Amino acid sequence: MGMSDSAPAEDVWAPLRDTTQARIGLGRAGNSVPTRHVLEFQAAHAAARDAVHDPLNVDSLTKQIREIDLGAPLQVQSMATSRSEYLRRPDLGRSPKDLSAVPKTGADIGIVLADGLSPAALTNP
């Protein structure tokens, strides 16, 4: 009996693939990855690119925060003037334009919600 007559090998990666979003143990199709996995990667990459460029709906997020009784949130903008500039200059996104609206309360902790590279991460459950 040749190797082609044997039963398919057990997929030892399946249990680990079920626990992670990492693309592991995808198999081979000649010199490449199977077409299904290539298409899944391309779809995930397109969704990630869309997520980066989608604007954050600040008004909706502010309303949601008020509804859960955390008080009135303060809005602070970074030195980046646009999403495009932020993607080119992430250092500007880490620097606040003006902190004068933030009161000095002596609190030990503050909660910061920043859209960064994924506005959807703040608004999608």
Side-chain angles (χ1 to χ4, degrees):
M1 272 193 193
M3 288 186 87
S4 62
D5 295 335
S6 63
E10 179 185 349
D11 184 3
V12 297
W13 291 99
L16 188 55
R17 248 192 325 273
D18 290 341
T19 64
T20 181
Q21 293 180 358
R23 299 176 190 286
I24 58 173
L26 301 179
R28 305 292 304 166
N31 290 331
S32 186
V33 177
T35 302
R36 177 175 61 100
H37 296 298
V38 171
L39 295 175
E40 287 171 355
F41 175 78
Q42 289 174 339
H45 187 254
R49 288 177 57 113
D50 288 346
V52 166
H53 293 287
D54 282 345
L56 175 64
N57 185 337
V58 176
D59 294 334
S60 175
L61 182 60
T62 299
K63 181 181 176 204
Q64 291 173 354
I65 292 170
R66 284 185 176 149
E67 287 174 357
I68 59 173
D69 201 24
L70 287 179
L74 299 171
Q75 294 179 29
V76 176
Q77 293 183 344
S78 71
M79 298 288 289
T81 59
S82 67
R83 171 69 69 194
S84 177
E85 182 178 34
Y86 170 68
L87 292 173
R88 289 189 316 272
R89 296 276 317 271
D91 59 311
L92 294 178
R94 291 187 288 271
S95 302
K97 184 184 284 186
D98 180 17
L99 291 177
S100 62
V102 179
K104 298 191 185 313
T105 64
D108 291 331
I109 189 169
I111 299 172
V112 176
L113 301 176
D115 59 346
L117 287 177
S118 182
L122 290 175
T123 58
N124 291 345

